[in-house]
Amino acid sequence: METSDKLIQVVDLKKYYNGDAIKALDGVTLDINRGDVMVIIGPSGSGKSTFLRSLNLLEVPTSGQIIFEGVDITQKKGPDGKKLNIDKHREKMGMVFQHFNLFPHKTILQNMTLAPVKVKGVSQAEADAKALSLLERVGLADRADAFPIQLSGGQKQRVAIVRALAMEPDVMLFDEPTSALDPEMVGEVLDVMKRLARNGMTMAVVTHEMGFAREVGNRVVFMDGGKILEEGSPEQIFNHPQNPRLQDFLSKVL
Amino acid sequence: MNFATIGQNIVKLTIKYWDKFLLTGLGYTLSLAFITVCVGAIFGALIALLRMSKFPPFKWIAAVYTEIIRGTPMLLQLYLFYFALPQLIPFLNKKQYLCVAIALVCNSAAYVSEIIRSGIQAVDIGQTEAARSLGMSQRLTMTEIILPQAVKNILPALGNEFIMVIKDTSLASTFFIGDLMTQCLLVKGATYLTMEPLIMVAVVYFVLTYGLSKLLGFFERRMRRGDIR
């Protein structure tokens, strides 16, 4: 099947506000393949976060298709003719937010096991074991019983990443994961993301970290005005940018 | 005004009528306030659910209800319920206490619904997004993530509502329900003294509401301490 290596196909995605006065997304077409580490860059308000948040329908697009693992999740009905249950598809798309969004009334371990137990029906013991091994991988096993408020920003974001991983997603979406962090904590979060990429996780990352884009990304997408203006390998984008807007953008951020 | 005489009269009235104030009056006031807040909280929660529903007519009904209740004086609502209810429901004929209680409940439900709605909406939208992105359903997100956090916003405000209702029940004395204010009017009628019963009832109200607000403050601090852990 042709879709086998295409994990997500986005076709002519549009998101308008106030009728069509504000075009946050203005016809975005893009494929994300299995194993891709796609980094989306662009100035503020370029639509890159809106695009990422559309992929799991946190933003409902005005028109266009999002075909995830062969199913168009923008449709009301699934391929079996029944009402499409977006929750089933969201399970397989992990998401990491700029402001972590850990659940403050639950411990780190509870944060990580809640969805596996309640949504996937994993036993509590199994979920605990899995969560602990994930926490171990990001060096936070000793904080399992802490509450989010007791953690630093970098630690919170690492927990947010493994919380998403605990659902064993097929793709991870990162929405400016280091933008709310103190500079000295950016590195520890990027390290976790790098390791994830090396282990073959499919990732879509909206970020201002150009170093990460260049080093870890295999594809870089430049967006502005709700459109993709240029797309290519990090080498192409950073060393041989074609679009004048991209050239201008890079001259300011590099 | 002779303060010495007032003082003496208060002592005399306290000895003669203390049971009217502290047993009958306080009993009616507290039971009325308690019923109002408890039943009002249940109806308030229902109205809040309607208000947040995705089905527009439900939203409108809840919005119209709260706006009308909040936009008209409570005394007027009491009169309306007091005179209209027995005509609509014969069972309520001559049951003044019930009519007034229903009016207070309907009034309080509107305010409580706003307390609950704002308490829920004050929870960061990011919490919902994180839960939904993990594949949690809307219902699961509400029960596991939003409500436990919203309760911390809602409970203190609900306590304040209870204190407000205690004071609002005094309006029920218009219909001689038996509450503290009614006792004040009865004693005034029996003794031809105006200032003394007023002062005495004021003291009871104040001790009641001040004590309650201190108690609430204590619980609120404990709840906030639970946040930091």
Side-chain angles (χ1 to χ4, degrees):
Chain A
M1 219 166 89
E2 197 221 358
T3 53
S4 63
D5 68 331
K6 283 181 184 164
L7 192 62
I8 306 178
Q9 290 170 272
V10 180
V11 184
D12 199 25
L13 198 67
K14 290 179 180 163
K15 174 72 178 178
Y16 294 170
Y17 294 100
N18 298 346
D20 59 356
I22 299 164
K23 297 179 176 175
L25 292 177
D26 196 9
V28 174
T29 299
L30 187 72
D31 292 345
I32 300 176
N33 304 317
R34 277 183 209 280
D36 263 353
V37 178
M38 173 179 285
V39 182
I40 304 157
I41 59 172
S44 299
S46 59
K48 52 195 195 311
S49 273
T50 308
F51 172 69
L52 195 78
R53 290 159 53 82
S54 299
L55 294 179
N56 64 357
L57 295 195
L58 283 186
E59 301 281 352
V60 180
T62 309
S63 70
Q65 291 175 291
I66 298 163
I67 300 159
F68 175 57
E69 299 184 325
V71 178
D72 184 352
I73 57 172
T74 60
Q75 298 299 310
K76 284 207 164 61
K77 282 185 175 165
D80 54 359
K82 288 190 202 137
K83 194 171 179 293
L84 183 120
N85 183 358
I86 186 62
D87 297 335
K88 283 277 153 232
H89 300 282
R90 280 180 175 150
E91 275 178 42
K92 293 182 231 146
M93 296 195 229
M95 187 158 202
V96 176
F97 301 86
Q98 182 176 354
H99 296 288
F100 331 126
N101 295 350
L102 296 181
F103 308 133
H105 59 300
K106 296 193 179 288
T107 65
I108 301 309
L109 200 65
Q110 288 166 343
N111 261 277
M112 295 178 64
T113 59
L114 180 67
V117 170
K118 299 266 180 183
V119 177
K120 281 176 91 177
V122 178
S123 77
Q124 185 68 47
E126 206 178 317
D128 283 350
K130 165 120 189 142
L132 282 171
S133 85
L134 279 167
L135 280 174
E136 194 123 7
R137 269 163 52 186
V138 294
L140 290 170
D142 58 329
R143 309 312 309 272
D145 294 321
F147 282 87
I149 197 158
Q150 296 168 304
L151 269 53
S152 72
Q155 291 175 326
K156 279 184 200 164
Q157 197 59 301
R158 282 185 279 160
V159 168
I161 293 172
V162 287
R163 177 176 71 177
L165 289 176
M167 288 298 281
E168 300 180 322
D170 295 334
V171 58
M172 286 284 284
L173 313 174
F174 291 86
D175 189 5
E176 304 203 23
T178 58
S179 296
L181 294 175
D182 288 341
E184 73 227 65
M185 290 170 183
V186 170
E188 62 190 71
V189 170
L190 289 182
D191 276 344
V192 171
M193 291 169 63
K194 277 179 205 166
R195 254 184 294 154
L196 205 54
R198 272 203 298 276
N199 289 338
M201 174 61 76
T202 309
M203 294 162 64
V205 186
V206 168
T207 187
H208 295 291
E209 294 291 329
M210 295 304 150
F212 177 87
R214 198 193 283 254
E215 187 189 339
V216 188
N218 71 324
R219 294 166 70 193
V220 178
V221 172
F222 174 70
M223 285 183 72
D224 194 14
K227 289 189 169 84
I228 293 177
L229 295 187
E230 195 160 336
E231 198 219 310
S233 67
E235 152 75 11
Q236 285 169 323
I237 294 286
F238 289 108
N239 296 347
H240 308 289
Q242 302 299 314
N243 188 294
R245 299 258 281 284
L246 174 58
Q247 289 167 353
D248 181 53
F249 176 72
L250 291 175
S251 75
K252 282 173 186 156
V253 296
L254 286 183
Chain B
M1 214 165 20
N2 186 336
F3 288 103
T5 346
I6 288 180
Q8 285 165 6
N9 284 339
I10 284 181
V11 172
K12 277 188 212 153
L13 287 185
T14 308
I15 293 165
K16 194 165 177 201
Y17 293 113
W18 70 272
D19 57 326
K20 286 237 183 286
F21 292 120
L22 286 182
L23 291 182
T24 326
L26 195 60
Y28 272 105
T29 291
L30 276 180
S31 68
L32 206 51
F34 192 73
I35 291 170
T36 302
V37 167
C38 289
V39 184
I42 295 166
F43 281 106
L46 285 175
I47 296 165
L49 278 181
L50 289 182
R51 189 92 195 245
M52 291 182 296
S53 135
K54 278 185 190 153
F55 186 55
F58 284 172
K59 250 191 214 174
W60 297 329
I61 290 170
V64 166
Y65 178 80
T66 43
E67 290 308 326
I68 288 178
I69 293 285
R70 297 205 302 171
T72 52
M74 175 134 181
L75 188 57
L76 184 147
Q77 292 164 19
L78 279 174
Y79 270 111
L80 264 180
F81 277 83
Y82 187 80
F83 291 117
L85 274 181
Q87 289 182 33
L88 294 172
I89 311 163
F91 169 76
L92 289 171
N93 210 2
K94 299 266 158 73
K95 296 200 169 67
Q96 290 95 329
Y97 181 84
L98 255 181
C99 287
V100 168
I102 291 171
L104 286 169
V105 162
C106 289
N107 178 277
S108 184
Y111 288 92
V112 169
S113 80
E114 285 298 286
I115 289 173
I116 292 175
R117 186 175 70 102
S118 63
I120 287 173
Q121 288 177 343
V123 177
D124 181 15
I125 182 76
Q127 294 288 311
T128 305
E129 291 183 348
R132 297 307 304 273
S133 79
L134 287 164
M136 290 167 65
S137 66
Q138 197 171 4
R139 178 182 292 260
L140 195 58
T141 303
M142 196 44 118
T143 55
E144 287 285 338
I145 305 301
I146 307 303
L147 283 182
Q149 296 182 61
V151 162
K152 289 190 177 170
N153 305 329
I154 292 170
L155 278 186
L158 213 53
N160 287 334
E161 172 69 12
F162 186 50
I163 292 173
M164 288 297 294
V165 166
I166 286 178
K167 289 184 285 178
D168 284 349
T169 55
S170 63
L171 288 175
S173 65
T174 317
F175 309 105
F176 283 84
I177 292 307
D179 68 307
L180 272 171
M181 201 62 198
T182 307
Q183 304 305 330
C184 175
L185 296 174
L186 290 176
V187 171
K188 180 184 151 199
T191 59
Y192 302 106
L193 293 170
T194 311
M195 287 306 293
E196 291 80 352
L198 277 176
I199 292 170
M200 292 168 70
V201 168
V203 169
V204 179
Y205 272 120
F206 179 76
V207 169
L208 195 60
T209 53
Y210 186 74
L212 269 173
S213 81
K214 282 285 146 201
L215 199 68
L216 282 172
F218 172 74
F219 282 118
E220 218 175 305
R221 274 193 302 280
R222 272 193 57 167
M223 224 157 60
R224 226 178 289 135
R225 205 179 308 149
D227 263 352
I228 295 155
R229 259 177 276 229

